[in-house]
Amino acid sequence: MKRKVGDDLTATYNNYIAGAWVTSHTGQVFPSTNPANTNEVLGYFQKSDGLDARSAIEAAADAFGEWSQKSAPTRGEFLFSLIHLLEKHKEELAETITREVGKTLREARGEVAKTINSMKQLTGEATRLTGQTVPSFDERVVGYTVREPIGVFAIIAPWNFPLGIGLWKIVPAILAGNTVVFKPASNTSLISVKLVELLIESGVPSGVVNLVTGPGAVIGDELANHPLVKGISFTGSSEVGLALGRAVGARGGKIQAEMGGKNPAIILADADIDLAVDSIVLSGFFDNGQRCTGTSRVLVVPEVAEEVKAKLIERAKGLKIGNGFDPDNHNGPVVDEHQLNLYLHYVQKGIEEGGVLECGGKRLVDGDLAQGYFVAPTVFTGITQEMTIANEEIFGPVIAVIDVDSFEHAMQVANQVEFGLSSTIFTNDLQKAFQFVKGIQSGVTHVNLPSTHFESQFPFGGKKISGLGPREQGESALDFYVETKTVYIRP
């Protein structure tokens, strides 16, 4: 059966298991809609259950033996075709992301470009599955290590970067010789189907990659508890990631989880204020703040506090919100009703707890905006470190400005949250910059750069409840997906 039935915008899309597009055992489907216009259905997708997930796991397990025995460079051949296909279809992919996620076409094109760069970075990894040769105390013994594939991995990807994160998890897993079951976020099922189509066209064999769509709780339970699943790579909320970690760890499986953030930006008196504000607007407001590394707390010292607040509020008020296909718009809608309600919830909490709402804080419903989940970029001042919006992840365009007395006070406030994903400081004081880098409790940090800045040749991941397991990307990309075997040989 084909992947879909019907015209593109009313099609029903199937799961992909053991090299075939198949319907769910449930006989049920669910829609994916455009968050800019909720009347527009982009397609219907299989509402799968645990039995579907089990079929995909078994298919992946059946394919593992043959795939894992291929030489690593041979396994990596598909990646060159994949990069070509991503380049060929980059505009179609970007348009699909804008239509399904809501982000502007500019941001969607950026996601596709970063995905291509990440895949280029991975092209050499299949020939760099290196081990070590270590001298033995016994001159008659040769000792060395090899890194080997493990088995079936579950890949659970989020909706905010569905193409990029999906591929930078799947590709290292299969380069290492494993097979995967891919569970995308339900509200980005269409771009996820297209992702799998590209992998198939690039030459990935049947059973090596399997796709199951549907409710995360039901499918995730099967993936977390099935003994054939040797590990899960997950990106999403800390609550879900920690729960998956407990479930997988209880049966001896592996977990890699990139989770939430409450990322601080410290602005000192000697900072380039315009650079700082530009960076905070980019990382905290663009893409509606729906980035795990986005700035959500601005910690500012007294000497420049009023200037920072005035400029940040002015910039927030000047951002244009609307359909992501309009090149004049800075932001499209948030992804769905759940994210809209979270945004409204946290705005109300901020007001109730004594924060000063300087701008934004509302749903936008004028004209065509009434059909989507559009919200205003929001700035709170008067925030203290005890308040809810200073501690909990909002994942929306809400920035809390916190007044601090000094650099030392800023560091204390920055580190007081449970999260530890990304951070940044704006200063021209080299000594303070290095004190910050050494003392900040985050897995990724920056000086005079947006907290969202990343490059795929470097490892990525968080501390505290922002991350579990080995880092993603860079030279660490394959670490999670292999086990080391030590070999001793006496000829």
Side-chain angles (χ1 to χ4, degrees):
M1 183 177 290
K2 296 180 180 179
R3 69 172 172 93
K4 63 181 182 179
V5 178
D7 298 332
D8 277 350
L9 293 184
T10 58
T12 296
Y13 296 82
N14 294 337
N15 292 331
Y16 185 70
I17 299 175
W21 294 100
V22 296
T23 57
S24 167
H25 293 281
T26 68
Q28 299 178 334
V29 295
F30 65 92
S32 177
T33 59
N34 182 347
N37 177 7
T38 57
N39 294 321
E40 181 184 349
V41 175
L42 305 179
Y44 294 90
F45 299 86
Q46 301 305 307
K47 191 174 182 179
S48 306
D49 62 6
L51 186 57
D52 295 301
R54 202 170 310 150
S55 296
I57 293 166
E58 291 169 354
D62 288 343
F64 173 70
E66 183 176 351
W67 180 246
S68 64
Q69 291 305 306
K70 291 182 181 293
S71 70
T74 299
R75 291 196 301 261
E77 284 297 315
F78 80 91
L79 190 48
F80 298 97
S81 296
L82 178 63
I83 292 168
H84 170 74
L85 291 169
L86 288 167
E87 293 275 12
K88 179 181 177 181
H89 297 288
K90 60 184 178 182
E91 191 64 14
E92 175 195 349
L93 293 168
E95 290 176 0
T96 302
I97 291 168
T98 292
R99 190 167 282 114
E100 193 168 35
V101 180
K103 64 177 69 177
T104 64
L105 189 57
R106 176 193 65 251
E107 296 286 346
R109 286 169 174 159
E111 178 178 345
V112 177
K114 289 176 181 178
T115 303
I116 292 170
N117 286 339
S118 179
M119 295 303 102
K120 289 178 178 178
Q121 164 65 24
L122 288 168
T123 53
E125 292 303 318
T127 58
R128 290 197 290 265
L129 269 172
T130 56
Q132 292 179 300
T133 301
V134 182
S136 169
F137 279 98
D138 187 333
E139 68 276 6
R140 297 167 297 177
V141 173
V142 175
Y144 64 94
T145 66
V146 292
R147 295 197 293 169
E148 298 180 330
I150 302 170
V152 177
F153 278 82
I155 304 297
I156 303 178
W159 49 261
N160 60 332
F161 288 92
L163 179 71
I165 296 178
L167 281 175
W168 75 51
K169 291 177 181 292
I170 293 171
V171 169
I174 62 178
L175 281 179
N178 304 289
T179 54
V180 305
V181 176
F182 177 36
K183 163 63 180 81
S186 292
N187 48 9
T188 50
S189 294
L190 180 57
I191 188 64
S192 300
V193 167
K194 292 182 180 294
L195 179 161
V196 171
E197 289 178 331
L198 294 179
L199 287 169
I200 296 167
E201 190 175 349
S202 70
V204 175
S206 299
V208 173
V209 174
N210 303 272
L211 168 72
V212 181
T213 60
V218 176
I219 298 172
D221 184 67
E222 184 69 25
L223 296 176
N225 292 292
H226 198 294
L228 287 176
V229 177
K230 303 304 181 183
I232 295 180
S233 182
F234 166 84
T235 296
S237 73
S238 294
E239 179 183 7
V240 174
L242 293 171
L244 282 172
R246 288 189 292 269
V248 174
R251 60 176 180 80
K254 301 181 70 178
I255 184 71
Q256 178 188 64
E258 192 278 289
M259 300 178 286
K262 193 64 183 174
N263 309 302
I266 296 175
I267 305 177
L268 299 185
D270 67 336
D272 180 333
I273 301 303
D274 289 331
L275 171 65
V277 171
D278 285 346
S279 298
I280 291 163
V281 168
L282 174 66
S283 61
F285 288 143
F286 277 25
D287 207 4
N288 276 312
Q290 296 175 138
R291 304 177 187 178
C292 55
T293 54
T295 296
S296 59
R297 296 182 294 153
V298 174
L299 285 50
V300 59
V301 296
E303 296 91 329
V304 291
E306 293 310 310
E307 181 183 1
V308 168
K309 292 172 189 176
K311 289 185 173 181
L312 189 58
I313 293 165
E314 180 183 13
R315 291 291 301 277
K317 289 180 177 178
L319 295 177
K320 187 176 180 182
I321 314 302
N323 193 296
F325 285 103
D326 185 339
D328 292 332
N329 290 331
H330 297 98
N331 271 345
V334 295
V335 72
D336 58 20
E337 187 175 13
H338 174 70
Q339 290 304 124
L340 168 67
N341 289 334
L342 274 181
Y343 164 88
L344 295 173
H345 164 75
Y346 281 110
V347 167
Q348 187 60 34
K349 289 291 289 185
I351 295 169
E352 290 174 355
E353 294 180 3
V356 179
L357 178 61
E358 298 284 2
C359 64
K362 61 183 179 180
R363 181 178 186 177
L364 303 176
V365 294
D366 291 342
D368 292 341
L369 301 188
Q371 301 303 315
Y373 304 120
F374 297 93
V375 301
T378 301
V379 177
F380 274 96
T381 61
I383 300 301
T384 62
Q385 63 189 91
E386 296 81 19
M387 293 181 182
T388 301
I389 64 170
N391 290 280
E392 296 184 11
E393 185 179 41
I394 301 173
F395 224 62
V398 180
I399 291 178
V401 182
I402 302 173
D403 292 288
V404 293
D405 299 332
S406 62
F407 168 73
E408 290 74 20
H409 185 205
M411 290 294 292
Q412 182 268 319
V413 174
N415 286 331
Q416 62 116 23
V417 298
E418 294 181 289
F419 301 98
L421 183 53
S422 188
S423 58
T424 188
I425 190 171
F426 296 91
T427 181
N428 288 307
D429 185 328
L430 192 59
Q431 185 178 32
K432 288 287 196 299
F434 276 101
Q435 283 182 270
F436 168 79
V437 169
K438 185 176 181 180
I440 196 68
Q441 296 169 5
S442 65
V444 182
T445 196
H446 310 77
V447 177
N448 296 325
L449 284 165
S451 62
T452 50
H453 181 86
F454 85 99
E455 299 177 26
S456 57
Q457 69 270 32
F458 294 97
F460 179 83
K463 296 184 177 184
K464 299 194 277 190
I465 67 165
S466 290
L468 290 174
R471 296 291 192 252
E472 297 183 276
Q473 302 202 64
E475 66 178 11
S476 305
L478 272 62
D479 288 353
F480 177 62
Y481 300 104
V482 294
E483 288 180 332
T484 298
K485 177 185 288 181
T486 301
V487 181
Y488 300 98
I489 298 177
R490 180 177 173 178

